[in-house]
Amino acid sequence: MAVALLGGRRFPALLLLRAAAGPCRHGPAGAAMQQGAAMQQGAAPEGGSGWLGALRFDNLALRSLPVDASEAGGPRAVPGACFSRVRPSPLQNPRLVAMSLPALALLGLEEPAGDREAAEAEAALYFSGNRLLAGSEPAAHCYCGHQFGSFAGQLGDGAAMYLGEVLGPRGERWEIQLKGAGLTPFSRQADGRKVLRSSIREFLCSEAMFHLGIPTTRAGTCVTSDSKVIRDIFYDGNPKNERCTVVLRIASTFIRFGSFEIFKPPDEYTGRKGPSVNRNDIRIQMLDYVISTFYPEIQAAYPDNSIQRNAAFFKEITKRTARLVAEWQCVGFCHGVLNTDNMSIVGLTIDYGPFGFMDRYDPEHICNGSDNTGRYAYNKQPEICKWNLGKLAEALVPELPLEISELILEEEYDAEFEKHYLQKMRKKLGLIQLELEEDSKLVSELLETMHLTGGDFTNIFYLLSSFSVVDSDPSKLEDFLKELTSQCASVDELKVAFRPQMDPRQLSMMLMLAQSNPQLFALIGTKANINKELERIEQFSKLQQLTEDDLLSRNKRHWEEWLEKYRDRLQKEIESVSDADAWNTHRVKVMNSNNPKYILRNYIAQNAIEAAENGDFSEVRNVLKLLENPFQEGEDFREVKEDAEEEGATAAAAACAQETRSRLPYSSKPPLWASELCVT
C-alpha cells in the first residue's frame, strides 16, 4: 500500500485515524468473549448443533468446476483448476462485533429466539473459521485480473475462503465466504488476514448498499479476535499490532470477470499469463456452470447453440453492469479499485476496499488515495466498467467470437447506462409524470451548480423534495435557499479541498522538465496531474481573499438560477395532471424513496472504527441499524442508541455512547476533520 500524503502531512495508508476517544467496553461483547472461549474448549459439538445447525449445504461449484489436486501449502501457481482446498487458520478468542439479521435471513437463520449471547458466541466460533460447519468445504477461488489497466497474472482469493453454498428457505442458493481467515495458495506475500478497520468498512458498506437498493454482495457477521498482525500503517518503520478480523460474505456467487482470465496467454505489455493457458475445456465448463446456474433463462432459450447462448449471456452481463454503475453514480458511490478481478459476473458490487461515498460534489473525486492518475475517479467509473467488459469479451474467445461481443458492447452498454441513469435521476428530482428531452440538461445543470457551490451530493438531493413549486411565497423560497446553501462548502472547507499537494520546488522542476525533456516527463509525471495542481494553486490563492458573505451571496445566485429552471420543469408536470395535490404527494414520496438521508460517510465509519478498536462495538451496531433504513426520517442518535443501552451496555460503554451523541447527526455533511481521512 502507498503512503498517503495530504498537505505535507503523513497519514495511515488504509484509513486515517484520529485520536481515539479512550477505552470503552461493551458488556454483551465481553460476555460473548467468555462464552466463545468456553465453546472453543469443547462446549459445542462439531458442526453447529445450536443456532447454526439449521444451515443446509449443497456445494455445486465444487462439483461443477475443477478443484486443484495438489495439497501443497503456501503461495503457488494453481494451473488447471478453479478452486484449491484450504483450511481456515484459528484465531484467539473470537468475538462478534456485529451481525446483520437481514443478511443471515437469506441463509434461513432467524433472529435467535433464546439466549442471544450464546448465539453470538456460536456465530463468533464458526464465522471466525475456528470451527467448521457440517457440510462446509473450504476452498479458495483462482482468478486473474487487469489491475489499474495492466494484466497482473494469477491473483485469486488471497484472504477469502469459500465455505460452501447454503440453501435458503425458498430453495435459493447462497455462497458464503470468510474474508480474512488465513493463508491460501493465492496469498502471495500477504498473510491472509484482514484487520478490524477494513473489516468494519466492508461489513457496513455491504449492507448499506443493499438497503439503498443497489445490487451487492452481503455481509452476515463481523468477528474480531485477540490474534494480532503487524501493519506498518504509516510505512515509517513504526509497525502497529492490529486485531485479526473476519467478515462473513454472502452472494449468489463470487465468480468475477477475472475468473475467465486464467486462460490468458502471455500479455504483450507485462509478459504475465494466466495459470491455465490453453485449457479451453475449463473455460467451457465455467461458461456452462455460470450460465446454467445464474442465467437459467438464457440456458433454456439456447440449449443447442452455444454461441448464441454465450452472446445472450454477454449481452445480459453488459446491461447489468451498465445499470449497476448508473446506480453508483446516482448515490455518489465510488468503488475505488475497479480492476477486472473486482467485477462480478452476475452484476453485483463486490470487494469493498478503498471505497467512498462522495460528500462535496466533485466529478473528478478520487476515493482511493493510491489512485495517483485518477483512473477510478467518480466520473471515470462508467467508461472503466465498459473497458472491463471489453477484457471479459477477450477472455471468452473462442467460445464467443470477439466480433460478436464487441458489437454487443458498443450497441448495449452506453444506451443502457444512459437510460437507467436518467430514469433514476428523474425519480430523484420528482419528474414522475413526463419524460422530456430537456431532463438530461436539467440534471447536468444541477450537478454543475453543485460543483460550483461545493454542494453536499446526498443532502442537496434530499432537500429538493421540500422545494415547493405551488407556493410562491418569497419568504419560503428564501428559507429554502438558506437550507440549500447550508449544505454547500464553507471557505475553510474549500481551502482544505484546494490546498496544494505538491512542494513548490517539485512543481517548478516538473514544469521545467515538461519543457526541456517531454519524453522523460511522460515517464515520471502526467500533464493532467500538473494541470490539476496548477488549478488547485490558482483556486487556493483566490480563496485567501474570499469572505463567507461573498461565498454565500455567490452560492445563492447559482441556486436561484437553477431553481428557476427546476420550477419551470415541475410546472409542466402540474399542467399534465388533473390533481396537483395528489401529484405533489406522490412526487415527494418518490423523491424520498430515491434520495437517502443516510449513507456510510467516511467519518461515520471512522467513528465506529475508533470505538471498536477501544472495545466498544455498539457504534458499529448502531450505524448498521441506521443504514438498514437509509431513506427514513428519524431522530438520529436517540432512535438508535436506546436499543444498545437496553441490551445492557456497561457504564463505560454508555459513556462512549454519550460522547457519540455529542457528535454531529448521522445525516450531517462531514466535519472539517473528515477531509483529512484518506483511504488506500
Side-chain angles (χ1 to χ4, degrees):
M1 293 187 293
V3 177
L5 293 173
L6 295 179
R9 296 172 61 190
R10 184 179 291 268
F11 296 103
L14 179 63
L15 181 64
L16 296 181
L17 305 177
R18 295 187 297 118
C24 302
R25 296 285 176 233
H26 185 50
M33 183 191 313
Q34 296 171 359
Q35 182 91 10
M39 293 179 73
Q40 277 186 265
Q41 295 167 7
E46 187 78 21
S49 61
W51 183 49
L52 302 180
L55 294 178
R56 297 177 299 135
F57 283 88
D58 181 40
N59 305 327
L60 179 62
L62 296 187
R63 297 198 303 272
S64 305
L65 299 172
V67 178
D68 181 25
S70 172
E71 296 183 1
R76 56 186 170 82
V78 180
C82 296
F83 289 94
S84 292
R85 296 193 183 276
V86 293
R87 295 285 292 188
S89 302
L91 294 173
Q92 295 177 10
N93 203 11
R95 53 198 178 277
L96 187 74
V97 175
M99 64 180 172
S100 168
L101 291 172
L104 293 174
L106 298 172
L107 310 179
L109 295 174
E110 299 179 356
E111 185 168 3
D115 188 342
R116 187 182 180 93
E117 288 186 14
E120 289 192 3
E122 184 183 4
L125 183 64
Y126 286 95
F127 295 146
S128 63
N130 276 27
R131 189 168 296 177
L132 292 178
L133 291 157
S136 63
E137 298 181 77
H141 179 44
C142 181
Y143 52 82
C144 294
H146 281 79
Q147 299 191 318
F148 288 88
S150 297
F151 187 65
Q154 178 180 292
L155 299 170
D157 286 334
M161 294 185 186
Y162 164 104
L163 284 187
E165 295 155 67
V166 174
L167 298 179
R170 291 180 295 277
E172 66 276 35
R173 182 183 300 275
W174 298 102
E175 178 181 332
I176 62 174
Q177 277 192 352
L178 297 181
K179 185 172 181 179
L183 286 169
T184 77
F186 311 107
S187 296
R188 291 174 285 171
Q189 289 79 40
D191 53 24
R193 293 300 191 187
K194 297 297 176 181
V195 296
L196 188 59
R197 53 197 160 87
S198 60
S199 299
I200 286 174
R201 282 172 52 83
E202 170 146 16
F203 174 78
L204 289 175
C205 198
S206 300
E207 292 307 282
M209 292 289 274
F210 170 77
H211 292 289
L212 286 169
I214 298 173
T216 179
T217 59
R218 304 292 300 276
T221 59
C222 180
V223 176
T224 195
S225 71
D226 288 339
S227 296
K228 303 288 181 68
V229 287
I230 295 176
R231 296 288 187 263
D232 188 354
I233 304 173
F234 294 98
Y235 288 92
D236 60 358
N238 293 296
K240 173 186 174 184
N241 281 314
E242 297 195 64
R243 294 186 184 279
C244 295
T245 306
V246 177
V247 173
L248 175 72
R249 305 201 300 183
I250 305 169
S252 56
T253 181
F254 285 88
I255 291 177
R256 51 207 65 206
F257 290 9
S259 302
F260 286 91
E261 292 188 290
I262 63 173
F263 315 108
K264 182 175 173 57
D267 185 77
E268 62 178 310
Y269 300 108
T270 67
R272 299 188 182 100
K273 62 181 180 179
S276 297
V277 179
N278 298 323
R279 291 300 304 271
N280 194 53
D281 58 317
I282 300 178
R283 180 171 16 226
I284 293 171
Q285 276 184 271
M286 288 182 64
L287 279 165
D288 289 348
Y289 168 71
V290 167
I291 296 172
S292 64
T293 306
F294 309 111
Y295 298 87
E297 67 288 349
I298 291 176
Q299 181 67 43
Y302 304 99
D304 302 318
N305 191 318
S306 64
I307 296 293
Q308 288 185 349
R309 181 200 67 170
N310 296 345
F313 154 67
F314 186 74
K315 179 178 179 179
E316 179 59 24
I317 188 55
T318 293
K319 295 176 78 169
R320 287 191 191 187
T321 302
R323 292 193 296 268
L324 176 67
V325 70
E327 291 282 347
W328 293 350
Q329 301 303 99
C330 288
V331 295
F333 174 78
C334 301
H335 185 282
V337 197
L338 283 174
N339 301 326
T340 57
D341 54 292
N342 293 333
M343 300 287 296
S344 164
I345 204 67
V346 291
L348 305 175
T349 314
I350 190 173
D351 289 346
Y352 292 93
F355 68 85
F357 284 89
M358 185 166 51
D359 297 313
R360 177 181 59 84
Y361 177 73
D362 176 4
E364 297 180 349
H365 174 69
I366 301 169
C367 66
N368 179 355
S370 59
D371 184 4
N372 298 320
T373 64
R375 177 180 175 85
Y376 299 141
Y378 169 77
N379 61 351
K380 299 283 185 63
Q381 292 186 135
E383 65 184 84
I384 285 296
C385 287
K386 184 178 181 180
W387 188 90
N388 288 341
L389 281 161
K391 293 303 170 185
L392 174 61
E394 293 174 9
L396 297 180
V397 176
E399 296 310 302
L400 180 61
L402 204 54
E403 58 268 23
I404 296 177
S405 56
E406 286 181 338
L407 183 62
I408 290 170
L409 189 55
E410 287 306 313
E411 289 182 345
E412 301 293 339
Y413 182 84
D414 293 335
E416 188 71 14
F417 171 80
E418 290 164 10
K419 174 186 171 184
H420 194 79
Y421 178 79
L422 189 53
Q423 285 177 342
K424 186 72 174 181
M425 279 296 185
R426 284 192 176 110
K427 292 177 182 177
K428 289 174 77 69
L429 292 177
L431 309 179
I432 57 176
Q433 197 67 27
L434 305 172
E435 294 185 359
L436 305 180
E437 286 187 16
E438 66 196 55
D439 294 344
S440 181
K441 183 179 179 184
L442 183 69
V443 171
S444 297
E445 290 174 339
L446 167 61
L447 296 178
E448 178 62 20
T449 304
M450 276 193 206
H451 192 205
L452 289 170
T453 62
D456 185 272
F457 185 84
T458 300
N459 290 355
I460 293 289
F461 271 113
Y462 186 78
L463 278 174
L464 287 177
S465 65
S466 60
F467 177 66
S468 175
V469 65
V470 179
D471 195 337
S472 58
D473 184 346
S475 65
K476 291 191 175 180
L477 176 60
E478 190 66 24
D479 289 342
F480 184 73
L481 279 168
K482 187 176 180 180
E483 282 194 84
L484 271 184
T485 53
S486 72
Q487 297 304 321
C488 297
S490 66
V491 172
D492 285 343
E493 289 168 335
L494 290 173
K495 285 179 179 177
V496 172
F498 290 103
R499 183 171 55 199
Q501 296 180 2
M502 293 177 66
D503 184 287
R505 292 167 297 181
Q506 180 189 9
L507 178 61
S508 177
M509 183 196 73
M510 295 293 284
L511 289 170
M512 288 190 293
L513 187 62
Q515 294 292 325
S516 63
N517 194 335
Q519 290 179 324
L520 179 58
F521 172 75
L523 292 174
I524 63 175
T526 67
K527 185 177 180 181
N529 283 354
I530 297 300
N531 288 340
K532 194 166 185 178
E533 181 67 9
L534 291 172
E535 290 173 13
R536 193 178 288 115
I537 291 170
E538 182 182 359
Q539 289 288 341
F540 189 75
S541 177
K542 290 178 180 178
L543 287 169
Q544 306 312 306
Q545 314 302 321
L546 187 66
T547 67
E548 287 290 353
D549 287 342
D550 290 340
L551 179 63
L552 178 61
S553 176
R554 188 178 73 184
N555 288 347
K556 282 183 65 176
R557 185 172 67 253
H558 286 309
W559 281 112
E560 283 172 341
E561 291 173 1
W562 184 81
L563 286 173
E564 185 177 347
K565 298 172 185 176
Y566 184 42
R567 186 190 294 276
D568 290 344
R569 175 62 181 85
L570 291 176
Q571 192 62 43
K572 292 177 182 178
E573 295 270 304
I574 293 175
E575 292 169 359
S576 70
V577 299
S578 57
D579 188 337
D581 289 337
W583 164 83
N584 192 56
T585 299
H586 184 49
R587 173 184 77 94
V588 172
K589 182 178 180 182
V590 169
M591 293 179 75
N592 286 342
S593 62
N594 283 275
N595 293 315
K597 183 175 183 180
Y598 307 109
I599 55 170
L600 183 62
R601 298 178 187 265
N602 272 344
Y603 85 91
I604 293 174
Q606 183 62 17
N607 284 336
I609 289 166
E610 288 180 4
E613 288 186 329
N614 284 289
D616 174 22
F617 305 147
S618 64
E619 183 65 3
V620 177
R621 299 179 184 194
N622 295 333
V623 172
L624 174 65
K625 182 177 178 181
L626 187 85
L627 295 173
E628 289 174 358
N629 297 285
F631 304 102
Q632 186 177 51
E633 279 280 2
E635 188 62 34
D636 292 15
F637 281 89
R638 294 189 189 92
E639 178 181 284
V640 296
K641 281 291 175 185
E642 286 172 358
D643 287 349
E645 291 170 2
E646 287 170 5
E647 287 172 6
T650 63
C656 283
Q658 183 60 44
E659 179 195 333
T660 303
R661 282 195 198 92
S662 69
R663 296 175 183 151
L664 292 171
Y666 288 113
S667 59
S668 172
K669 67 174 187 169
L672 194 58
W673 62 260
S675 62
E676 305 293 338
L677 294 175
C678 178
V679 190
T680 184

